[in-house]
């Protein structure tokens, strides 16, 4: 199995995010990690489908990680569908039933429960796609030209 | 000066693109390279500003490189402003006057002549921002997880 990541160097939630992003890609959703839709709010994974659908996935590595998250309802206005991603040992009965559920590991993931859809208003979707584009372009730019950061305003 | 690129391994046009993208970043425009807005058409640099402005920059390393490009007018419908980027030895009198001009090297660039604006229609801009987002996210994903390509549909 391909594995170019130094697994020991990253947080467990990031490993779940890796598997999640791979699975989303197989569904033709592109994704970014750690996007900030508004000040003070950072989502683990934001994904965009072919029709501009926006999904948010929060990755929780443990019960404590989930229970310490007091912000998650703040993510709901920033996506069409909201999912949790957890590993197979996670006590899924803790998670609200009206949210999506993804079981993941570092290598892949599976959608176990589709999230209900709450469609973004057109103006917010437009802004969010632009935010997504900007975030992704900055990451891609940093990857192809590490020296470029010195030019950022 | 920072330089993480193996200069000998890339084409001259790509070196210009690097300097162009750095300068655009200093203007708060994010950018991607080699984006395909429609089949058969690939732009060297597409940049997006804070208000969703879309600029296209074609990088020409020599007179022959410019003269062999028979597609450039096809780029005009895909941006609000169109620029050429050339190095300081390029015979700029060859370039059409009603286009923008950027003088670049591998490290930085400067806009010498602002391109006239021909605003995209809203529907096309919307589609283009989504295409830009998708392209950028795929590149950023490949950079953070090289193994992800195997999941692509």
């Amino acid at each position: 199995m391909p594995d170019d990541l130094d697994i020991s160097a990253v947080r467990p939630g990031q490993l779940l995010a890796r598997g999640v992003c791979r699975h989303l890609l197989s569904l033709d959703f592109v994704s970014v990690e750690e996007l900030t839709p508004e000040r003070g709010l950072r989502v683990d994974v934001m994904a965009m489908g072919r029709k501009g659908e926006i999904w948010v996935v929060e990755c929780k590595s443990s019960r404590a990680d989930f229970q310490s998250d007091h912000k998650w309802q703040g993510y709901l206005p920033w996506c069409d569908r909201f999912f949790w991603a957890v590993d197979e040992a996670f006590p899924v009965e803790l998670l609200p039933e009206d949210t999506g559920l993804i079981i993941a590991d570092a290598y892949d993931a599976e959608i176990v429960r589709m999230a209900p859809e709450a469609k973004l208003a057109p103006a917010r979707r437009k802004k969010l796609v632009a935010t997504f584009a900007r975030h992704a372009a900055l990451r891609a730019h940093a990857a192809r030209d590490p020296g470029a950061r010195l030019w950022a305003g």
Side-chain angles (χ1 to χ4, degrees), chain A:
Chain A
M1 217 172 250
D3 188 0
D4 297 280
L5 201 64
D6 177 1
I7 285 194
S8 62
V10 294
R11 288 179 288 105
Q14 287 179 294
L15 293 176
L16 297 179
R18 191 181 78 162
V20 165
C21 290
R22 288 181 176 188
H23 182 64
L24 291 170
L25 188 58
S26 76
L27 301 177
D28 211 13
F29 276 69
V30 297
S31 55
V32 295
E33 295 182 21
E34 303 190 344
L35 179 141
T36 299
E38 68 173 351
R39 197 176 299 205
L41 207 62
R42 196 175 66 180
V43 304
D44 289 336
V45 174
M46 182 172 279
M48 192 183 75
R50 281 278 181 190
K51 295 171 183 173
E53 314 95 298
I54 301 283
W55 292 1
V56 162
V57 185
E58 283 301 297
C59 302
K60 295 299 174 192
S61 59
S62 65
R63 175 192 291 257
D65 190 13
F66 170 69
Q67 288 176 332
S68 66
D69 183 346
H70 305 294
K71 285 187 172 178
W72 75 267
Q73 294 188 60
Y75 305 139
L76 300 177
W78 299 99
C79 56
D80 296 303
R81 297 184 195 267
F82 176 84
F83 299 81
W84 300 102
V86 297
D87 66 24
E88 56 184 6
F90 189 94
V92 295
E93 64 278 6
L94 292 179
L95 303 171
E97 279 193 11
D98 56 346
T99 53
L101 175 58
I102 297 174
I103 303 294
D105 61 23
Y107 301 96
D108 205 345
E110 191 183 346
I111 296 177
V112 172
R113 183 173 65 222
M114 180 52 73
E117 187 178 45
K119 277 205 178 183
L120 290 162
R124 176 162 286 192
R125 184 187 311 281
K126 182 182 170 187
K127 186 171 173 291
L128 210 45
V129 171
T131 300
F132 182 105
R134 192 170 185 86
H135 178 101
L138 286 172
R139 299 297 170 103
H141 195 179
R144 74 178 185 269
D145 179 13
R149 67 185 182 284
L150 299 173
W151 273 254

PDB file of all heavy atoms in Angstrom, chain A residues 19-46:
ATOM      1  N   GLY A  19      -7.026   9.467   4.933  1.00  0.00           N
ATOM      2  CA  GLY A  19      -7.892   8.420   4.391  1.00  0.00           C
ATOM      3  C   GLY A  19      -9.192   8.994   3.846  1.00  0.00           C
ATOM      4  O   GLY A  19      -9.674   8.580   2.788  1.00  0.00           O
ATOM      5  N   VAL A  20      -9.746   9.965   4.559  1.00  0.00           N
ATOM      6  CA  VAL A  20     -10.992  10.612   4.126  1.00  0.00           C
ATOM      7  C   VAL A  20     -10.809  11.280   2.765  1.00  0.00           C
ATOM      8  O   VAL A  20     -11.619  11.102   1.849  1.00  0.00           O
ATOM      9  CB  VAL A  20     -11.461  11.645   5.181  1.00  0.00           C
ATOM     10  CG1 VAL A  20     -12.518  12.585   4.610  1.00  0.00           C
ATOM     11  CG2 VAL A  20     -11.989  10.939   6.430  1.00  0.00           C
ATOM     12  N   CYS A  21      -9.734  12.042   2.622  1.00  0.00           N
ATOM     13  CA  CYS A  21      -9.511  12.765   1.354  1.00  0.00           C
ATOM     14  C   CYS A  21      -9.305  11.802   0.193  1.00  0.00           C
ATOM     15  O   CYS A  21      -9.748  12.065  -0.931  1.00  0.00           O
ATOM     16  CB  CYS A  21      -8.329  13.721   1.491  1.00  0.00           C
ATOM     17  SG  CYS A  21      -8.695  15.136   2.565  1.00  0.00           S
ATOM     18  N   ARG A  22      -8.647  10.682   0.458  1.00  0.00           N
ATOM     19  CA  ARG A  22      -8.491   9.674  -0.596  1.00  0.00           C
ATOM     20  C   ARG A  22      -9.852   9.130  -1.029  1.00  0.00           C
ATOM     21  O   ARG A  22     -10.135   9.020  -2.226  1.00  0.00           O
ATOM     22  CB  ARG A  22      -7.611   8.528  -0.096  1.00  0.00           C
ATOM     23  CG  ARG A  22      -6.150   8.912   0.040  1.00  0.00           C
ATOM     24  CD  ARG A  22      -5.346   7.715   0.520  1.00  0.00           C
ATOM     25  NE  ARG A  22      -3.924   8.032   0.581  1.00  0.00           N
ATOM     26  CZ  ARG A  22      -2.968   7.150   0.817  1.00  0.00           C
ATOM     27  NH1 ARG A  22      -3.276   5.880   1.036  1.00  0.00           N
ATOM     28  NH2 ARG A  22      -1.702   7.514   0.837  1.00  0.00           N
ATOM     29  N   HIS A  23     -10.676   8.776  -0.044  1.00  0.00           N
ATOM     30  CA  HIS A  23     -11.984   8.221  -0.403  1.00  0.00           C
ATOM     31  C   HIS A  23     -12.835   9.260  -1.145  1.00  0.00           C
ATOM     32  O   HIS A  23     -13.500   8.934  -2.138  1.00  0.00           O
ATOM     33  CB  HIS A  23     -12.709   7.728   0.843  1.00  0.00           C
ATOM     34  CG  HIS A  23     -14.031   7.100   0.529  1.00  0.00           C
ATOM     35  ND1 HIS A  23     -14.145   5.943  -0.230  1.00  0.00           N
ATOM     36  CD2 HIS A  23     -15.306   7.463   0.820  1.00  0.00           C
ATOM     37  CE1 HIS A  23     -15.424   5.639  -0.377  1.00  0.00           C
ATOM     38  NE2 HIS A  23     -16.142   6.549   0.253  1.00  0.00           N
ATOM     39  N   LEU A  24     -12.796  10.494  -0.662  1.00  0.00           N
ATOM     40  CA  LEU A  24     -13.577  11.546  -1.326  1.00  0.00           C
ATOM     41  C   LEU A  24     -13.120  11.718  -2.771  1.00  0.00           C
ATOM     42  O   LEU A  24     -13.931  11.946  -3.668  1.00  0.00           O
ATOM     43  CB  LEU A  24     -13.459  12.859  -0.552  1.00  0.00           C
ATOM     44  CG  LEU A  24     -14.153  12.866   0.820  1.00  0.00           C
ATOM     45  CD1 LEU A  24     -13.778  14.116   1.608  1.00  0.00           C
ATOM     46  CD2 LEU A  24     -15.671  12.770   0.660  1.00  0.00           C
ATOM     47  N   LEU A  25     -11.818  11.584  -2.988  1.00  0.00           N
ATOM     48  CA  LEU A  25     -11.298  11.708  -4.354  1.00  0.00           C
ATOM     49  C   LEU A  25     -11.874  10.608  -5.250  1.00  0.00           C
ATOM     50  O   LEU A  25     -12.201  10.850  -6.421  1.00  0.00           O
ATOM     51  CB  LEU A  25      -9.770  11.644  -4.332  1.00  0.00           C
ATOM     52  CG  LEU A  25      -9.044  11.936  -5.640  1.00  0.00           C
ATOM     53  CD1 LEU A  25      -9.399  13.316  -6.182  1.00  0.00           C
ATOM     54  CD2 LEU A  25      -7.533  11.808  -5.452  1.00  0.00           C
ATOM     55  N   SER A  26     -12.035   9.425  -4.688  1.00  0.00           N
ATOM     56  CA  SER A  26     -12.609   8.321  -5.476  1.00  0.00           C
ATOM     57  C   SER A  26     -14.073   8.604  -5.826  1.00  0.00           C
ATOM     58  O   SER A  26     -14.615   8.035  -6.770  1.00  0.00           O
ATOM     59  CB  SER A  26     -12.491   6.998  -4.718  1.00  0.00           C
ATOM     60  OG  SER A  26     -13.459   6.908  -3.687  1.00  0.00           O
ATOM     61  N   LEU A  27     -14.708   9.504  -5.057  1.00  0.00           N
ATOM     62  CA  LEU A  27     -16.089   9.934  -5.344  1.00  0.00           C
ATOM     63  C   LEU A  27     -16.112  11.201  -6.203  1.00  0.00           C
ATOM     64  O   LEU A  27     -17.166  11.817  -6.387  1.00  0.00           O
ATOM     65  CB  LEU A  27     -16.839  10.212  -4.034  1.00  0.00           C
ATOM     66  CG  LEU A  27     -16.945   9.059  -3.042  1.00  0.00           C
ATOM     67  CD1 LEU A  27     -17.642   9.513  -1.766  1.00  0.00           C
ATOM     68  CD2 LEU A  27     -17.683   7.869  -3.660  1.00  0.00           C
ATOM     69  N   ASP A  28     -14.933  11.607  -6.684  1.00  0.00           N
ATOM     70  CA  ASP A  28     -14.775  12.796  -7.527  1.00  0.00           C
ATOM     71  C   ASP A  28     -14.976  14.112  -6.754  1.00  0.00           C
ATOM     72  O   ASP A  28     -15.320  15.133  -7.353  1.00  0.00           O
ATOM     73  CB  ASP A  28     -15.701  12.727  -8.742  1.00  0.00           C
ATOM     74  CG  ASP A  28     -15.106  13.439  -9.951  1.00  0.00           C
ATOM     75  OD1 ASP A  28     -13.898  13.751  -9.922  1.00  0.00           O
ATOM     76  OD2 ASP A  28     -15.844  13.690 -10.910  1.00  0.00           O
ATOM     77  N   PHE A  29     -14.772  14.059  -5.451  1.00  0.00           N
ATOM     78  CA  PHE A  29     -14.733  15.271  -4.638  1.00  0.00           C
ATOM     79  C   PHE A  29     -13.269  15.630  -4.392  1.00  0.00           C
ATOM     80  O   PHE A  29     -12.496  14.793  -3.929  1.00  0.00           O
ATOM     81  CB  PHE A  29     -15.415  15.049  -3.279  1.00  0.00           C
ATOM     82  CG  PHE A  29     -16.908  15.209  -3.301  1.00  0.00           C
ATOM     83  CD1 PHE A  29     -17.705  14.286  -3.960  1.00  0.00           C
ATOM     84  CD2 PHE A  29     -17.516  16.283  -2.664  1.00  0.00           C
ATOM     85  CE1 PHE A  29     -19.093  14.434  -3.991  1.00  0.00           C
ATOM     86  CE2 PHE A  29     -18.901  16.437  -2.679  1.00  0.00           C
ATOM     87  CZ  PHE A  29     -19.692  15.520  -3.349  1.00  0.00           C
ATOM     88  N   VAL A  30     -12.901  16.881  -4.683  1.00  0.00           N
ATOM     89  CA  VAL A  30     -11.564  17.355  -4.324  1.00  0.00           C
ATOM     90  C   VAL A  30     -11.641  17.948  -2.919  1.00  0.00           C
ATOM     91  O   VAL A  30     -12.711  18.384  -2.471  1.00  0.00           O
ATOM     92  CB  VAL A  30     -11.023  18.400  -5.330  1.00  0.00           C
ATOM     93  CG1 VAL A  30     -10.867  17.755  -6.705  1.00  0.00           C
ATOM     94  CG2 VAL A  30     -11.902  19.633  -5.403  1.00  0.00           C
ATOM     95  N   SER A  31     -10.512  17.972  -2.225  1.00  0.00           N
ATOM     96  CA  SER A  31     -10.585  18.410  -0.835  1.00  0.00           C
ATOM     97  C   SER A  31      -9.343  19.172  -0.396  1.00  0.00           C
ATOM     98  O   SER A  31      -8.273  19.055  -0.995  1.00  0.00           O
ATOM     99  CB  SER A  31     -10.795  17.199   0.071  1.00  0.00           C
ATOM    100  OG  SER A  31      -9.780  16.248  -0.152  1.00  0.00           O
ATOM    101  N   VAL A  32      -9.539  19.957   0.635  1.00  0.00           N
ATOM    102  CA  VAL A  32      -8.435  20.645   1.298  1.00  0.00           C
ATOM    103  C   VAL A  32      -8.552  20.367   2.795  1.00  0.00           C
ATOM    104  O   VAL A  32      -9.621  20.004   3.287  1.00  0.00           O
ATOM    105  CB  VAL A  32      -8.456  22.176   1.045  1.00  0.00           C
ATOM    106  CG1 VAL A  32      -8.234  22.473  -0.434  1.00  0.00           C
ATOM    107  CG2 VAL A  32      -9.750  22.808   1.535  1.00  0.00           C
ATOM    108  N   GLU A  33      -7.444  20.546   3.489  1.00  0.00           N
ATOM    109  CA  GLU A  33      -7.441  20.350   4.935  1.00  0.00           C
ATOM    110  C   GLU A  33      -7.246  21.689   5.629  1.00  0.00           C
ATOM    111  O   GLU A  33      -6.578  22.577   5.117  1.00  0.00           O
ATOM    112  CB  GLU A  33      -6.326  19.376   5.337  1.00  0.00           C
ATOM    113  CG  GLU A  33      -6.549  17.964   4.790  1.00  0.00           C
ATOM    114  CD  GLU A  33      -5.465  16.978   5.214  1.00  0.00           C
ATOM    115  OE1 GLU A  33      -4.764  17.234   6.212  1.00  0.00           O
ATOM    116  OE2 GLU A  33      -5.322  15.947   4.527  1.00  0.00           O
ATOM    117  N   GLU A  34      -7.840  21.783   6.817  1.00  0.00           N
ATOM    118  CA  GLU A  34      -7.622  22.933   7.696  1.00  0.00           C
ATOM    119  C   GLU A  34      -7.952  24.278   7.045  1.00  0.00           C
ATOM    120  O   GLU A  34      -7.179  25.229   7.116  1.00  0.00           O
ATOM    121  CB  GLU A  34      -6.183  22.911   8.224  1.00  0.00           C
ATOM    122  CG  GLU A  34      -5.914  21.599   8.948  1.00  0.00           C
ATOM    123  CD  GLU A  34      -4.604  21.577   9.706  1.00  0.00           C
ATOM    124  OE1 GLU A  34      -3.755  22.444   9.456  1.00  0.00           O
ATOM    125  OE2 GLU A  34      -4.454  20.682  10.547  1.00  0.00           O
ATOM    126  N   LEU A  35      -9.120  24.322   6.442  1.00  0.00           N
ATOM    127  CA  LEU A  35      -9.590  25.579   5.859  1.00  0.00           C
ATOM    128  C   LEU A  35     -10.357  26.391   6.909  1.00  0.00           C
ATOM    129  O   LEU A  35     -11.085  25.836   7.738  1.00  0.00           O
ATOM    130  CB  LEU A  35     -10.490  25.275   4.658  1.00  0.00           C
ATOM    131  CG  LEU A  35     -11.097  26.501   3.943  1.00  0.00           C
ATOM    132  CD1 LEU A  35     -11.099  26.276   2.433  1.00  0.00           C
ATOM    133  CD2 LEU A  35     -12.505  26.803   4.420  1.00  0.00           C
ATOM    134  N   THR A  36     -10.185  27.697   6.849  1.00  0.00           N
ATOM    135  CA  THR A  36     -10.855  28.613   7.771  1.00  0.00           C
ATOM    136  C   THR A  36     -11.967  29.351   7.029  1.00  0.00           C
ATOM    137  O   THR A  36     -11.690  30.294   6.291  1.00  0.00           O
ATOM    138  CB  THR A  36      -9.829  29.628   8.327  1.00  0.00           C
ATOM    139  OG1 THR A  36      -8.817  28.902   9.024  1.00  0.00           O
ATOM    140  CG2 THR A  36     -10.483  30.598   9.296  1.00  0.00           C
ATOM    141  N   PRO A  37     -13.232  28.931   7.198  1.00  0.00           N
ATOM    142  CA  PRO A  37     -14.326  29.616   6.485  1.00  0.00           C
ATOM    143  C   PRO A  37     -14.602  31.003   7.039  1.00  0.00           C
ATOM    144  O   PRO A  37     -15.021  31.895   6.313  1.00  0.00           O
ATOM    145  CB  PRO A  37     -15.524  28.692   6.670  1.00  0.00           C
ATOM    146  CG  PRO A  37     -15.217  27.852   7.868  1.00  0.00           C
ATOM    147  CD  PRO A  37     -13.724  27.753   7.946  1.00  0.00           C
ATOM    148  N   GLU A  38     -14.379  31.162   8.352  1.00  0.00           N
ATOM    149  CA  GLU A  38     -14.468  32.504   8.945  1.00  0.00           C
ATOM    150  C   GLU A  38     -13.546  32.518  10.157  1.00  0.00           C
ATOM    151  O   GLU A  38     -13.148  31.466  10.671  1.00  0.00           O
ATOM    152  CB  GLU A  38     -15.903  32.849   9.351  1.00  0.00           C
ATOM    153  CG  GLU A  38     -16.423  32.029  10.498  1.00  0.00           C
ATOM    154  CD  GLU A  38     -17.800  32.495  10.999  1.00  0.00           C
ATOM    155  OE1 GLU A  38     -18.265  33.559  10.565  1.00  0.00           O
ATOM    156  OE2 GLU A  38     -18.369  31.789  11.835  1.00  0.00           O
ATOM    157  N   ARG A  39     -13.222  33.689  10.618  1.00  0.00           N
ATOM    158  CA  ARG A  39     -12.278  33.812  11.710  1.00  0.00           C
ATOM    159  C   ARG A  39     -12.687  32.946  12.917  1.00  0.00           C
ATOM    160  O   ARG A  39     -13.839  32.919  13.307  1.00  0.00           O
ATOM    161  CB  ARG A  39     -12.169  35.284  12.135  1.00  0.00           C
ATOM    162  CG  ARG A  39     -10.943  35.566  12.975  1.00  0.00           C
ATOM    163  CD  ARG A  39     -10.836  37.036  13.276  1.00  0.00           C
ATOM    164  NE  ARG A  39     -10.703  37.832  12.041  1.00  0.00           N
ATOM    165  CZ  ARG A  39     -10.136  39.035  11.995  1.00  0.00           C
ATOM    166  NH1 ARG A  39      -9.650  39.581  13.088  1.00  0.00           N
ATOM    167  NH2 ARG A  39     -10.055  39.698  10.849  1.00  0.00           N
ATOM    168  N   GLY A  40     -11.733  32.216  13.455  1.00  0.00           N
ATOM    169  CA  GLY A  40     -12.014  31.439  14.660  1.00  0.00           C
ATOM    170  C   GLY A  40     -12.589  30.060  14.398  1.00  0.00           C
ATOM    171  O   GLY A  40     -12.870  29.309  15.334  1.00  0.00           O
ATOM    172  N   LEU A  41     -12.766  29.716  13.128  1.00  0.00           N
ATOM    173  CA  LEU A  41     -13.385  28.434  12.784  1.00  0.00           C
ATOM    174  C   LEU A  41     -12.501  27.747  11.741  1.00  0.00           C
ATOM    175  O   LEU A  41     -12.268  28.306  10.676  1.00  0.00           O
ATOM    176  CB  LEU A  41     -14.772  28.708  12.193  1.00  0.00           C
ATOM    177  CG  LEU A  41     -15.838  27.628  12.330  1.00  0.00           C
ATOM    178  CD1 LEU A  41     -16.172  27.345  13.779  1.00  0.00           C
ATOM    179  CD2 LEU A  41     -17.109  28.087  11.611  1.00  0.00           C
ATOM    180  N   ARG A  42     -12.044  26.550  12.065  1.00  0.00           N
ATOM    181  CA  ARG A  42     -11.211  25.836  11.097  1.00  0.00           C
ATOM    182  C   ARG A  42     -11.722  24.419  10.941  1.00  0.00           C
ATOM    183  O   ARG A  42     -11.832  23.700  11.928  1.00  0.00           O
ATOM    184  CB  ARG A  42      -9.749  25.823  11.564  1.00  0.00           C
ATOM    185  CG  ARG A  42      -8.788  25.458  10.464  1.00  0.00           C
ATOM    186  CD  ARG A  42      -7.360  25.569  10.931  1.00  0.00           C
ATOM    187  NE  ARG A  42      -7.072  24.568  11.957  1.00  0.00           N
ATOM    188  CZ  ARG A  42      -5.891  24.425  12.557  1.00  0.00           C
ATOM    189  NH1 ARG A  42      -4.902  25.231  12.253  1.00  0.00           N
ATOM    190  NH2 ARG A  42      -5.713  23.492  13.457  1.00  0.00           N
ATOM    191  N   VAL A  43     -12.033  24.031   9.715  1.00  0.00           N
ATOM    192  CA  VAL A  43     -12.561  22.682   9.492  1.00  0.00           C
ATOM    193  C   VAL A  43     -11.410  21.746   9.135  1.00  0.00           C
ATOM    194  O   VAL A  43     -10.420  22.149   8.531  1.00  0.00           O
ATOM    195  CB  VAL A  43     -13.643  22.673   8.374  1.00  0.00           C
ATOM    196  CG1 VAL A  43     -14.760  23.664   8.714  1.00  0.00           C
ATOM    197  CG2 VAL A  43     -13.057  22.974   7.007  1.00  0.00           C
ATOM    198  N   ASP A  44     -11.546  20.475   9.531  1.00  0.00           N
ATOM    199  CA  ASP A  44     -10.487  19.507   9.234  1.00  0.00           C
ATOM    200  C   ASP A  44     -10.395  19.241   7.736  1.00  0.00           C
ATOM    201  O   ASP A  44      -9.308  19.267   7.160  1.00  0.00           O
ATOM    202  CB  ASP A  44     -10.745  18.184   9.978  1.00  0.00           C
ATOM    203  CG  ASP A  44     -10.523  18.307  11.477  1.00  0.00           C
ATOM    204  OD1 ASP A  44      -9.764  19.202  11.893  1.00  0.00           O
ATOM    205  OD2 ASP A  44     -11.105  17.512  12.228  1.00  0.00           O
ATOM    206  N   VAL A  45     -11.545  18.944   7.131  1.00  0.00           N
ATOM    207  CA  VAL A  45     -11.571  18.665   5.688  1.00  0.00           C
ATOM    208  C   VAL A  45     -12.757  19.394   5.067  1.00  0.00           C
ATOM    209  O   VAL A  45     -13.877  19.299   5.584  1.00  0.00           O
ATOM    210  CB  VAL A  45     -11.723  17.148   5.410  1.00  0.00           C
ATOM    211  CG1 VAL A  45     -11.907  16.889   3.909  1.00  0.00           C
ATOM    212  CG2 VAL A  45     -10.515  16.369   5.930  1.00  0.00           C
ATOM    213  N   MET A  46     -12.509  20.132   3.998  1.00  0.00           N
ATOM    214  CA  MET A  46     -13.605  20.658   3.193  1.00  0.00           C
ATOM    215  C   MET A  46     -13.459  20.067   1.795  1.00  0.00           C
ATOM    216  O   MET A  46     -12.371  20.088   1.221  1.00  0.00           O
ATOM    217  CB  MET A  46     -13.599  22.180   3.120  1.00  0.00           C
ATOM    218  CG  MET A  46     -14.779  22.721   2.312  1.00  0.00           C
ATOM    219  SD  MET A  46     -14.939  24.529   2.382  1.00  0.00           S
ATOM    220  CE  MET A  46     -15.757  24.743   3.955  1.00  0.00           C
TER     221      MET A  46
END
